[in-house]
Amino acid sequence: MAESVVGAHADEAPDQDRRDFIHIAAMAAAVGGVAAVAWPLIDQMNPSADTLALSSIEYDVDKVPLGQQVVLLYRKQPLFVRHRTPQEIAEAVAGDHADLRDPATDASRVKPGKAEWLVLIGVCTHLGCTPGFDGGNLAPGHYGGWLCPCHGSVYDTSGRIRRGPAPLNLAVPDYVFETDTKIKVG
Amino acid sequence: MSGHSTYEPKTAVERWIDTRLPIIRFGVDLMDFPTPKNLNYWWTFGGILAFCLVTQIVTGVILAMHFDPSGTGAFSSLQGIMRNVDYGWLIRYIHTTGASMFFVAVYIHIFRGIYYGSYKAPRELLWLIGAAIYLVMMATAFFGYVLPWGNMSFWGAKVITSIVGAVPVIGPSITTWLVGGFTVDAPTLNRFFSLHYLFPFIIAALVGLHIWALHVPGNSNPLGVDVKSKSDTVPFHPYYTVKDGFAIALFMILFAVFVFYMPNALLDTDNNIPANPLQTPAHIVPEWYLLPYYAILRAIPDKLSGVIALAGAIACIFALPFLDTSRVRSMRYRPQAKLYFFIFVVDCLVLGFCGAHEPNEQVIPGLTTFNLLDSDLNTYVWLSRIAAAYYFVYFLVITPILGLRETPLPVPESISSPVLSHPAAPPAGATASPEKKG
Amino acid sequence: MLRKVLALAAVVGAIAAPAFAATSSLEPKVQSWSFNGPFGMYDQGQLQRGFKVYEQVCSACHSMNYVAFHDLGEPGGPWWNPKYPNSNDNPWVKAIAAGWPRQVSTINSDTGDETHRPPTTADVLVPPFPNDAAARASNGGALPPDMSLLVSARDGGPNYVYSIVTGFAAPPAGLDVPPGKYYNPYFPGDVTANWHGTGPTPPGGFISMPPPLTDCKVTFDDGTPCKLDQEAKDVAAFLQWASDPKMDQRKQLGLAVMIYLFLFSGLLYASYRRIWRHVAH
């Protein structure tokens, strides 16, 4: 390089230039620009506006016989609508005082005065399988609710996690009773 | 790679890696690559093209996440991208504008190569690989143009696949294989989508070869003389990373003007109508970057001959290193060649202009001259015939003969000599021996 | 440098020159629009008026299959309101969907029978006809084009729509208008076969759509006088929005990007000059 050096700054090696403020500013601007470009490229992977707009369903819970449940498709996932028997409700309320992993009262998981209707998102909070109904099984280690076939998480008649690897209760979605028997989920 | 490596592993880990997979050495050598110090801004288009390729692949992969390559779903999935996907409009407009920007840059890159004789020994293979990239780019652009499945997409596909059908004997079979039906239809769209996704990676592989072939002889330069000593070169980084970076930033300004303020200027209004096999758009024109070839195709009123001319026009680009007989690389020292070159550039623009017009439209409105063969002389078909003739004459007659007959100006002995002895333009007789200082 | 920019501009300019075809229709009347120019934005009041024209007049025949009710409340849309970032909660949008004159066909999940339900904000503006064949059958064989992309699909854009709607003219003496058709000098076509008058063939063509708007065909809630010209301009602006709903965002983001790019180029140029200052080249 030396032979082509002209001017007064011959003592400065080109290497030192890189530490100049102007280079740092240009590099910072480049990094900032790349970061700004990255956002739209990531944001486009979020659900699109038409997907988000299609996210509520209505259902007439009167169609579910006592002691049965109906599985609906809600946001591409199973939604349990269970018509609980008085015995199931009693078991659920009794469980309020047990040693719960994810404490919640049964009353907080249903709508006031509608304790017979339990609406749950049917996705195990462990790794996402759909739990099957445990058929009122009250043998030791069972709580009469749901049993996940994948890794044996056991839920009670309020959908609360009682045993197994799942960390949280089955989720209760946002829903309202639009009429006495018609629910709107989402 | 030419030259010896300057990389010295400093730590034990670097040494461990270097003896197993010298990837750090590869990167360091790439950045330190000795590059002629006199490259002008026309040389930045290589870097700009790399930027274009990366932009197209990144935005294209994202668009494919939302695109439905089916006859019934393509058009509406595109509307979903434009209306519902977060920033979908931005990504699609970058992709559509990017296609045009890619061609702007590649044409400048090609003309730069012709002007400065960058295709001459020992860089013939470099040129051939580049021409192959250009060919695959055109195919990719065509496949991409079909995907929105608008009416212009549909009829463009129909016309182009028919061109292939003009090839004797095998042509009709190839057309059938391309379209996968009685005519262009949903299966065509689906296979074009597959190929449109594949081809950019072929381009990327060819670009790898192109850069490899570049790094064997090293860059040519505006003077067209070989690098004689280390004083003729500077390391690629930081000298050319910053220069290319600056040029890319300027290029992005032009790019952004189109993306944000006139995104539809380079698109066709007819493509906002869904594909309709019963209604041909009033004016079928390809995208601007293919217009010169389209003009050559239409200049000849015979299907097969037109297709042969079209193929010949592309073949000329491939053959250029073997047609040029001049020993002087840069046209800076070839005044006559320079003149014919600039006429050639204008000629290509005229061909593009002709391609955008109806063949029997008048060039000068309202002026009727006389009928020659099949049409009036004052029509675009005749203008494109004259322009097409010059196109072929330039490659097949002027280039070989001029190299043998012309008297070039004296060429400097090295890159450093004209710079140091005559800081302004290289004057005639710049034959002084290179000055060595220090 | 300047040479390069000029050369680039020349290449782009020369090649992008549109292919002007020798159509026989009149050039659209050029209007001034709020969305013209690099800083032009949609006029929300105008979009709301234009939507009303579409809803009350155009939507009787023209579908809008790519515009959903919730689009009306997205940023830049006629009913965008920062108080309702999720346009599905926007009360105006919900009211429009609930009050839409047509229902969405669906399947009764209990019986499997075909039935109808009121539209929700997730639905597209429910079209007047279930399919193209039904649309043709009701319109004398002509298909009223979908309006979601009408403006982008026509040379002249909103000026074209405005010119067609306001451009219906009495046919000149000597021009036979076929039954069920209307003469419009701005509509592309060729009337030569029906021309028996003297002089050159009149411009334009025959359109199947009767003149859709008249003075006070639609009244505006914001007190804007209900002149034909106003209705035509407003509906053209609304259709421009429908074709390009992200324009406001695009231009806003564009301004930020341009400022950034100019600063970034300046920094890079300074950096370039500094790195190269010792090299004679």
Side-chain angles (χ1 to χ4, degrees):
Chain A
M1 283 316 307
E3 59 268 25
S4 62
V5 167
V6 288
H9 298 282
D11 51 329
E12 244 181 274
D15 248 355
Q16 274 175 324
D17 290 352
R18 287 179 223 183
R19 286 191 283 275
D20 274 354
F21 165 75
I22 196 74
H23 307 317
I24 294 168
M27 282 304 291
V31 170
V34 169
V37 167
W39 172 242
L41 303 185
I42 294 165
D43 188 34
Q44 54 83 22
M45 288 194 265
N46 280 314
S48 58
D50 55 334
T51 306
L52 291 175
L54 282 170
S55 52
S56 62
I57 58 167
E58 289 179 346
Y59 187 69
D60 194 350
V61 294
D62 223 19
K63 291 188 235 173
V64 188
L66 185 68
Q68 302 281 314
Q69 77 176 29
V70 161
V71 181
L72 304 173
L73 191 65
Y74 167 67
R75 294 184 182 174
K76 308 291 173 189
Q77 294 190 336
L79 181 81
F80 297 158
V81 180
R82 181 152 189 86
H83 192 169
R84 296 194 294 182
T85 60
Q87 191 203 347
E88 285 174 32
I89 299 170
E91 283 162 13
V93 172
D96 284 356
H97 307 293
D99 181 20
L100 295 172
R101 186 177 300 165
D102 181 13
T105 62
D106 186 58
S108 70
R109 297 172 60 77
V110 293
K111 297 293 170 193
K114 302 278 186 189
E116 67 268 40
W117 304 112
L118 181 64
V119 180
L120 297 170
I121 290 176
V123 176
C124 179
T125 56
H126 179 221
L127 293 173
C129 299
T130 295
F133 192 65
D134 211 6
N137 187 346
L138 288 170
H142 292 260
Y143 297 87
W146 287 266
L147 172 67
C148 183
C150 291
H151 306 95
S153 291
V154 177
Y155 298 89
D156 65 15
T157 52
S158 189
R160 291 172 298 206
I161 180 65
R162 301 302 286 267
R163 195 166 63 80
L168 298 172
N169 302 335
L170 290 177
V172 178
D174 287 333
Y175 71 99
V176 288
F177 275 88
E178 290 196 315
T179 68
D180 201 35
T181 58
K182 194 177 209 180
I183 57 168
K184 185 183 179 210
V185 188
Chain B
M1 300 289 158
S2 70
H4 51 85
S5 180
T6 54
Y7 172 70
E8 280 169 30
K10 287 181 192 70
T11 64
V13 176
E14 283 181 58
R15 269 193 299 280
W16 188 87
I17 295 171
D18 197 52
T19 49
R20 284 156 182 84
L21 178 70
I23 189 164
I24 302 175
R25 177 181 300 274
F26 179 80
V28 168
D29 290 348
L30 212 59
M31 285 296 115
D32 279 347
F33 189 73
T35 311
K37 66 183 184 181
N38 60 335
L39 300 187
N40 57 29
Y41 277 103
W42 299 113
W43 257 264
T44 60
F45 281 87
I48 287 170
L49 284 163
F51 163 78
C52 288
L53 180 62
V54 171
T55 305
Q56 290 303 86
I57 289 181
V58 169
T59 53
V61 166
I62 286 172
L63 288 173
M65 293 179 191
H66 303 281
F67 179 69
D68 170 11
S70 71
T72 48
F75 192 86
S76 57
S77 73
L78 207 74
Q79 288 308 310
I81 291 171
M82 296 301 287
R83 292 164 192 270
N84 293 323
V85 174
D86 292 346
Y87 291 107
W89 58 270
L90 174 63
I91 294 159
R92 173 166 180 248
Y93 279 149
I94 291 176
H95 199 71
T96 55
T97 307
S100 282
M101 290 295 134
F102 209 151
F103 276 96
V104 168
V106 89
Y107 281 128
I108 294 175
H109 194 64
I110 291 171
F111 281 125
R112 189 272 291 158
I114 297 175
Y115 182 82
Y116 291 110
S118 298
Y119 50 83
K120 289 183 203 183
R123 296 184 183 85
E124 297 95 327
L125 266 179
L126 176 59
W127 177 265
L128 289 178
I129 295 165
I133 292 172
Y134 173 54
L135 200 60
V136 183
M137 263 177 73
M138 287 197 285
T140 310
F142 162 64
F143 291 140
Y145 190 66
V146 175
L147 301 185
W149 212 231
N151 213 23
M152 200 52 108
S153 298
F154 179 89
W155 290 94
K158 197 141 181 168
V159 168
I160 302 278
T161 50
S162 303
I163 288 175
V164 181
V167 177
V169 188
I170 54 167
S173 301
I174 295 177
T175 302
T176 308
W177 294 330
L178 270 175
V179 302
F182 298 113
T183 181
V184 172
D185 196 6
T188 323
L189 171 65
N190 217 323
R191 65 194 58 183
F192 279 13
F193 174 66
S194 171
L195 295 175
H196 185 67
Y197 207 118
L198 168 70
F199 276 29
F201 296 98
I202 294 177
I203 294 177
L206 288 171
V207 167
L209 291 180
H210 196 61
I211 294 173
W212 186 8
L214 169 71
H215 281 214
V216 175
N219 293 72
S220 181
N221 64 79
L223 300 182
V225 297
D226 288 328
V227 167
K228 297 274 171 22
S229 69
K230 207 166 178 305
S231 68
D232 289 344
T233 65
V234 289
F236 184 77
H237 179 75
Y239 291 93
Y240 283 106
T241 42
V242 73
K243 188 168 185 174
D244 284 1
F246 173 56
I248 288 170
L250 290 183
F251 188 77
M252 281 163 76
I253 291 176
L254 177 73
F255 203 135
V257 166
F258 277 99
V259 167
F260 292 104
Y261 297 107
M262 41 205 299
N264 294 308
L266 298 166
L267 303 176
D268 203 292
T269 49
D270 279 306
N271 233 16
N272 288 307
I273 300 169
N276 182 353
L278 298 178
Q279 193 172 33
T280 310
H283 308 287
I284 290 225
V285 280
E287 292 295 85
W288 66 266
Y289 39 80
L290 300 178
L291 286 175
Y293 297 111
Y294 193 55
I296 291 175
L297 173 78
R298 292 191 313 188
I300 299 171
D302 172 79
K303 191 172 178 181
L304 179 58
S305 312
V307 174
I308 290 173
L310 174 65
I314 296 168
C316 282
I317 298 174
F318 279 90
L320 181 59
F322 313 104
L323 292 171
D324 192 348
T325 50
S326 171
R327 297 197 172 184
V328 178
R329 276 201 198 105
S330 173
M331 286 194 193
R332 212 174 253 195
Y333 306 105
R334 302 176 60 201
Q336 276 176 289
K338 200 191 274 188
L339 176 70
Y340 291 116
F341 169 80
F342 284 121
I343 297 173
F344 175 68
V345 174
V346 172
D347 185 64
C348 290
L349 294 176
V350 168
L351 276 173
F353 203 61
C354 292
H357 288 80
E358 297 288 295
N360 47 12
E361 212 179 313
Q362 290 179 327
V363 181
I364 305 161
L367 176 73
T368 307
T369 56
F370 58 92
N371 227 43
L372 189 62
L373 296 180
D374 55 349
S375 39
D376 192 87
L377 199 59
N378 181 29
T379 52
Y380 278 101
V381 71
W382 268 109
L383 186 59
S384 50
R385 277 172 195 167
I386 296 162
Y390 182 79
Y391 181 98
F392 287 107
V393 167
Y394 178 78
F395 279 106
L396 301 176
V397 180
I398 296 173
T399 302
I401 294 177
L402 191 66
L404 301 174
R405 299 185 59 118
E406 72 183 343
T407 328
L409 300 176
V411 176
E413 270 181 27
S414 82
I415 291 171
S416 296
S417 60
V419 173
L420 292 179
S421 49
H422 306 279
T431 49
S433 61
E435 290 176 44
K436 299 266 179 187
K437 287 200 286 185
Chain C
M1 239 7 269
L2 185 66
R3 262 196 333 182
K4 186 178 79 175
V5 174
L6 285 178
L8 260 175
V11 169
V12 174
I15 291 168
F20 283 118
T23 53
S24 58
S25 56
L26 295 181
E27 286 294 313
K29 295 180 267 187
V30 176
Q31 301 295 302
S32 86
W33 304 99
S34 68
F35 44 81
N36 280 348
F39 304 103
M41 298 283 157
Y42 292 124
D43 170 352
Q44 202 175 27
Q46 185 174 41
L47 297 188
Q48 294 185 0
R49 294 195 299 273
F51 174 74
K52 196 169 178 192
V53 176
Y54 170 74
E55 184 186 27
Q56 296 194 354
V57 182
C58 317
S59 78
C61 298
H62 291 274
S63 60
M64 222 158 181
N65 285 332
Y66 301 112
V67 177
F69 289 105
H70 69 84
D71 288 331
L72 298 170
E74 300 286 350
W79 276 276
W80 159 245
N81 188 328
K83 259 167 66 188
Y84 303 101
N86 178 354
S87 94
N88 299 294
D89 300 332
N90 185 312
W92 289 277
V93 172
K94 283 160 95 168
I96 289 167
W100 195 251
R102 285 176 293 277
Q103 298 214 315
V104 184
S105 77
T106 182
I107 303 291
N108 183 323
S109 59
D110 294 329
T111 63
D113 293 335
E114 211 171 307
T115 177
H116 291 83
R117 62 168 174 80
T120 69
T121 55
D123 292 305
V124 297
L125 306 182
V126 187
F129 303 106
N131 52 55
D132 284 0
R136 282 182 196 281
S138 302
N139 287 282
L143 179 67
D146 185 85
M147 279 189 159
S148 338
L149 284 162
L150 190 71
V151 165
S152 349
R154 297 290 182 278
D155 290 325
N159 293 320
Y160 172 83
V161 173
Y162 170 83
S163 302
I164 287 288
V165 172
T166 59
F168 285 90
L175 184 67
D176 300 338
V177 179
K181 299 274 180 184
Y182 304 85
Y183 171 66
N184 192 318
Y186 295 94
F187 190 67
D190 189 354
V191 298
T192 313
N194 299 58
W195 176 240
H196 309 296
T198 50
T201 311
F206 298 122
I207 186 168
S208 302
M209 175 176 72
L213 295 173
T214 52
D215 284 352
C216 290
K217 180 116 179 195
V218 181
T219 56
F220 296 124
D221 309 324
D222 60 359
T224 307
C226 50
K227 291 283 173 209
L228 163 65
D229 186 73
Q230 186 68 41
E231 293 164 358
K233 268 197 91 164
D234 292 348
V235 78
F238 170 71
L239 294 180
Q240 171 72 38
W241 168 81
S243 278
D244 192 4
K246 306 289 183 186
M247 185 205 72
D248 282 6
Q249 282 157 283
R250 196 178 76 223
K251 288 178 178 172
Q252 282 158 359
L253 184 59
L255 181 63
V257 169
M258 298 309 290
I259 292 171
Y260 165 78
L261 282 178
F262 275 102
L263 291 176
F264 182 47
S265 307
L267 279 173
L268 273 176
Y269 186 67
S271 181
Y272 158 69
R273 289 299 297 260
R274 227 174 143 64
I275 285 173
W276 279 81
R277 73 190 187 281
H278 299 311
V279 183
H281 64 285

